Each structure stands twice: as C-alpha cells, then as structure tokens.
Amino acid sequence: LISIIQEDVGRMDRLITDISRASKVDASLARETAQTINVYDILSNITEFYQQTRSGEGAGVDHVTADKAEETGPIYIKAFETPFAQVLRNLIDNALTFSPPDGSVRVSGFREPGATDRFVMITVEDDGPGIPPDNLDTIFERFYTERPKGAQFGSHSGLGLAICRQIVMAHKGEIWAENRKDGEEILGARFKVRLPRELVAG
C-alpha cells in the first residue's frame, strides 16, 4: 500500500508541475523579449547537452542539418529563447520515450524548400512505433497521453506536446506530427516546427 501511495504521489506531483508550467507559459512569454537566434546554435547546444548527459543506455540524440551552416550561412528566427528551448526539450524527451534502446533521435534545422526562403523548418524524428493516424492531431490536446508499451502508468501528464503547440503558436509558427514510412511500414514519428525566418541585414 505504501508503494502504491508513493507512486500516486509521484504521479500527482508530475501532473501538478506540468499544469503549473502550462499555465505560466503565456506569462513567461509576456515577460521575455524576443531575440534573434541562430537556429544552428540552439540546436547544437541542446543536442550536445543530451549527448553529454546520456547514461549510456537507450537512444541517443543526433544533430543533423539539411543545409550546412558553413556552406549556406546561419539561419535565424525571432524567438523567446527559454520557451523555445523548452519546445525542443519536450519534443526530444517525447522522442526518447518512444525510441528503442538501439534507436536514435535526430534533430534537424533547415530552410524550408520551395518557401521562397521565408520559413525555417525544425524536425525531431525517432525510430519508435509511430503515431496512430487518427491521433496525429489529437496528441497536441491537453492531457492526451499515448504511453509506450511497458511504460509506468502516470509517467506522462499529456501536457508536453500541448505546451509545445502553445509556445510555437505564440511565435506565429506551426507544429504538426507525421509518421516516417517506407511504403506502408512505419519507421517512426517525425515532429515538424515551421517558423518565420528572420532576415538579418548584412
């Protein structure tokens, strides 16, 4: 009974923490000042953090850029740095949760092809089981949770992706999910964040 109570307390603590975090997003955005951020730099810093803190077991995090900074120059967005970094952490943590031990989570940033160079696309993809087609939009609703097989009940509050959408919309961007496929076979999930590109003079 004590063990059950401890698990329930932990679950309630995670839920309350995530609800509090979600309710503070708008206030945090109102307090912060948007900055011009180099997409390559923030992706490199976050993926490097995950690589350095990896326990040695489970999926790793790789940073892949579709257009290399040294070849095309940096790309910028106007963003609230702390909330935007939270979006990336939430997406990476979610991908790691569903990835097999020998899988990898790949984070990419590039100019969106065919968008007259006006948008930046950031993707986070994994090697997990993918997302049920009917749930590709539902997963961004508050308290929705699709636990990986064998995961402990209550280990996910269902707020992480809802917070991501809330923050991305505040940046005048879009976020959506899709499945990576080879024919009809699902290879994993891919989350896409599309943001206006910031043009920096000079």
Side-chain angles (χ1 to χ4, degrees), residues 97-154:
T97 297
F98 286 91
S99 291
D102 59 345
S104 69
V105 173
R106 294 166 295 281
V107 182
S108 303
F110 49 91
R111 295 173 177 82
E112 184 182 19
T116 63
D117 217 24
R118 293 185 296 114
F119 295 98
V120 175
M121 184 73 75
I122 296 171
T123 67
V124 177
E125 60 181 40
D126 61 50
D127 298 326
I131 303 166
D134 292 341
N135 296 345
L136 287 171
D137 187 60
T138 311
I139 56 176
F140 293 100
E141 296 178 1
R142 289 191 174 195
F143 303 115
Y144 174 88
T145 177
E146 178 75 20
R147 298 188 305 275
K149 185 177 180 180
Q152 183 181 9
F153 173 75

Side-chain angles (χ1 to χ4, degrees), residues 9 24-25 33 36 44 73 83 92 101 108 144 146 153 156-157 162 188:
V9 168
K24 292 177 180 177
V25 167
T33 302
T36 299
S44 295
I92 292 172
S108 303
Y144 174 88
E146 178 75 20
F153 173 75
H156 304 278
S157 67

Side-chain angles (χ1 to χ4, degrees), residues 9-59:
V9 168
R11 179 172 59 86
M12 291 300 296
D13 181 64
R14 285 190 294 272
L15 182 59
I16 292 170
T17 298
D18 284 350
I19 290 174
S20 175
R21 186 176 298 146
S23 67
K24 292 177 180 177
V25 167
D26 288 335
S28 174
L29 291 171
R31 287 195 305 268
E32 290 204 25
T33 302
Q35 302 174 0
T36 299
I37 295 174
N38 184 331
V39 171
Y40 294 123
D41 286 346
I42 193 168
L43 294 185
S44 295
N45 291 340
I46 286 180
T47 52
E48 183 179 354
F49 167 80
Y50 278 92
Q51 290 165 356
Q52 292 179 349
T53 57
R54 186 182 180 188
S55 63
E57 298 181 357

